[in-house]
């Protein structure tokens, strides 16, 4: 990189736009898919089952003249468990630290936005004067453009949103345009992070997300929801494989039996699939050791949730 910046380069640098953008919305509308489409790397766990994103995932988009830091949030749901209440607090907290909000809806039930944008959220947004952009996702599923236009016109009447942007996160349709619109609402600010940062979340976190995703793929009913994955140890080794030790917590002895499977086959499958993806993610071989432990009722216990970082 040349040391002498031209005047034009200096100007451009000064006009750098950077800021924090929260992605909020109901479970399953495609928030994680959108984040991944923008960041171009698989950062946030994706699943057909709702509520797989329990913690905020930070993804950083580095443009030439911009840096957008995305906060992925758990889906908005009515608090039922203590865990859900904590998830809702995360949403409110990430809104408060944001320069802009992307509110994502599915093109098939976009009418729900009135319910989903509950009072507490709208009030917070209004008080802090944060731009609110409505993203209508999955338009690849709509038959034609007219349907999309009709949806946009319907919603415009409510005058709630600074922008209404139809996209398909899956086929990346209109995603670049969305990024440009997002940039437009950011304040002028220098980069918050070095531009080779894709995420500030640790490799440990990605490892646990990958394993949780495999559990969601391999098991049904309550098992995935009753599981939590904690990486106890991650030893990087210059020569040879990295060593990763993980504890997989479930809520009951019966679930532990299912997770391990006859002669350990199920656990072996979780291990193999996770290892493959972890290796792809970090680009080197790993030795993955998974221990299964019962922690009764962890979803409803303040102490357990705290020790898991919620
Ligand atoms: P989240 O819970 O809001 O984070 O949703 P996910 O990103 O996990 O996506 C939920 C499901 O919707 C997954 O099966 C995605 O593949 C699917 N999905 C996401 N975006 C699109 C899209 O633009 N079009 C279609 N057809 N499916 C999508
Ligand atoms: Mg998600």
């Amino acid at each position: 990189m040349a040391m002498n910046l031209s005047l034009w380069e200096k100007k451009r640098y000064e006009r750098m736009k950077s800021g924090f953008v929260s992605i909020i919305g109901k479970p399953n509308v495609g928030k994680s898919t959108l984040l991944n489409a923008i960041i171009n790397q698989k950062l946030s766990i994706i699943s057909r089952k709702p509520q797989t994103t329990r913690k905020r995932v930070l993804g950083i988009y580095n443009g030439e003249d911009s840096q957008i830091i995305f906060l992925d949030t758990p889906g908005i749901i009515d608090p039922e468990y203590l865990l859900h209440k904590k998830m809702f607090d995360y949403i409110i907290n990430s809104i408060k630290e944001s320069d802009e909000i992307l509110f994502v809806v599915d093109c098939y039930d976009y009418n729900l936005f009135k319910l989903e944008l509950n009072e507490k959220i709208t009030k917070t947004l209004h008080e802090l004067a944060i731009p609110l952009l409505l993203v209508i996702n999955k338009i690849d599923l709509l038959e034609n453009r007219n349907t999309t236009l009709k949806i946009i016109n319907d919603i415009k009447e409510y005058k709630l949103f600074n922008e209404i942007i139809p996209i398909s996160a899956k086929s990346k349709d209109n995603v670049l345009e969305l990024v440009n619109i997002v940039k437009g609402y950011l304040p002028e600010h220098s980069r918050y992070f070095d531009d080779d940062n894709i995420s500030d979340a640790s490799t440990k976190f990605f490892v646990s997300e990958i394993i949780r995703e495999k559990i969601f793929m391999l098991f049904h009913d309550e098992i995935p929801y009753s599981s939590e994955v904690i990486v106890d140890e991650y030893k990087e080794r210059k020569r040879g494989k990295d060593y990763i030790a993980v504890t997989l917590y479930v809520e009951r002895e019966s679930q532990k039996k299912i997770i391990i499977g006859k002669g350990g086959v199920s656990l072996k499958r979780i291990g193999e699939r996770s290892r493959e993806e972890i290796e792809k993610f970090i680009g080197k071989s790993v030795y993955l050791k998974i221990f299964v432990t019962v922690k009764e009722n962890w979803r409803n216990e303040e102490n357990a949730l705290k020790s898991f970082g919620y």
Side-chain angles (χ1 to χ4, degrees):
M1 178 86 184
M3 293 301 288
N4 293 320
L5 294 175
S6 72
L7 195 61
W8 180 78
E9 279 171 322
K10 264 188 197 146
K11 275 243 159 64
R12 191 180 65 181
Y13 183 71
E14 281 160 13
R15 283 215 214 96
M16 185 86 191
K17 287 188 153 199
S18 299
F20 294 81
V21 177
S22 276
I23 306 181
I24 68 171
K26 231 177 46 163
N28 245 5
V29 293
K31 298 179 298 297
S32 304
T33 310
L34 173 61
L35 182 70
N36 295 330
I38 294 172
I39 309 296
N40 260 326
Q41 187 166 350
K42 196 169 179 194
L43 286 182
S44 188
I45 177 170
I46 296 174
S47 151
R48 275 191 195 84
K49 301 189 185 84
Q51 297 167 43
T52 50
T53 312
R54 293 202 198 111
K55 289 175 211 171
R56 259 177 26 182
V57 175
L58 192 66
I60 305 175
Y61 169 91
N62 287 299
E64 253 181 55
D65 52 2
S66 64
Q67 183 172 67
I68 314 173
I69 301 134
F70 288 98
L71 308 172
D72 186 19
T73 64
I76 301 170
I77 33 165
D78 286 330
E80 191 184 329
Y81 293 103
L82 181 61
L83 169 65
H84 292 166
K85 291 204 186 80
K86 301 255 164 188
M87 282 156 68
F88 193 78
D89 291 342
Y90 272 116
I91 298 172
I92 293 290
N93 283 335
S94 46
I95 286 176
K96 283 186 183 158
E97 325 175 330
S98 299
D99 296 297
E100 209 174 308
I101 308 293
L102 288 187
F103 179 44
V104 185
V105 293
D106 185 318
C107 59
Y108 276 111
D109 55 12
Y110 66 95
N111 271 318
L112 287 174
F113 77 82
K114 284 163 268 177
L115 289 177
E116 288 166 41
L117 274 183
N118 75 27
E119 238 172 84
K120 199 169 171 192
I121 294 178
T122 356
K123 197 165 158 260
T124 313
L125 288 171
H126 187 75
E127 279 169 5
L128 302 174
I130 303 169
L132 178 61
L133 279 56
L134 182 73
V135 177
I136 303 169
N137 190 28
K138 308 196 188 182
I139 53 162
D140 55 297
L141 299 175
L142 293 176
E143 272 132 47
N144 59 44
R145 263 186 81 81
N146 289 338
T147 325
T148 316
L149 291 175
K150 189 190 168 306
I151 295 175
I152 294 177
N153 281 327
D154 280 358
I155 297 173
K156 261 189 190 152
E157 288 191 18
Y158 292 94
K159 300 192 168 75
L160 264 172
F161 304 102
N162 298 69
E163 303 278 349
I164 302 168
I165 310 135
I167 64 153
S168 165
K170 199 171 186 175
S171 64
K172 301 203 177 181
D173 192 14
N174 225 21
V175 168
L176 267 181
E177 289 80 356
L178 168 65
V179 171
N180 279 324
I181 296 170
V182 168
K183 270 184 209 167
Y185 282 91
L186 288 179
E188 282 187 17
H189 196 285
S190 54
R191 288 180 204 280
Y192 289 89
F193 297 91
D194 291 344
D195 56 5
D196 59 354
N197 253 327
I198 293 164
S199 167
D200 80 338
S202 65
T203 313
K204 268 186 177 179
F205 178 67
F206 291 126
V207 166
S208 73
E209 288 281 286
I210 286 167
I211 298 172
R212 280 208 308 123
E213 184 177 72
K214 300 307 163 213
I215 296 169
F216 264 89
M217 285 164 69
L218 292 167
F219 298 92
H220 303 283
D221 305 324
E222 19 79 300
I223 296 248
Y225 299 100
S226 300
S227 308
E228 179 59 296
V229 175
I230 300 291
V231 178
D232 302 312
E233 208 178 337
Y234 191 115
K235 262 197 221 129
E236 268 191 282
R237 288 182 177 142
K238 283 218 175 69
R239 256 182 264 163
K241 298 176 177 182
D242 284 359
Y243 173 83
I244 309 173
V246 168
T247 306
L248 201 167
Y249 292 92
V250 287
E251 291 189 304
R252 282 190 298 280
E253 208 54 54
S254 58
Q255 295 171 335
K256 180 175 169 176
K257 275 206 186 108
I258 297 171
I259 284 269
I260 293 175
K262 260 213 179 93
V265 281
S266 301
L267 187 60
K268 197 167 162 223
R269 198 165 296 148
I270 300 174
E272 279 169 0
R273 300 212 182 159
S274 305
R275 187 177 46 77
E276 276 170 22
E277 189 156 342
I278 293 165
E279 290 179 342
K280 242 190 269 162
F281 181 79
I282 62 170
K284 65 183 287 197
S285 300
V286 300
Y287 180 77
L288 177 65
K289 183 106 190 99
I290 304 177
F291 304 91
V292 185
T293 303
V294 177
K295 194 157 191 162
E296 268 172 48
N297 204 23
W298 69 263
R299 276 190 292 182
N300 247 334
E301 254 181 53
E302 182 78 46
N303 281 343
L305 288 173
K306 246 192 210 137
S307 73
F308 288 151
Y310 287 114

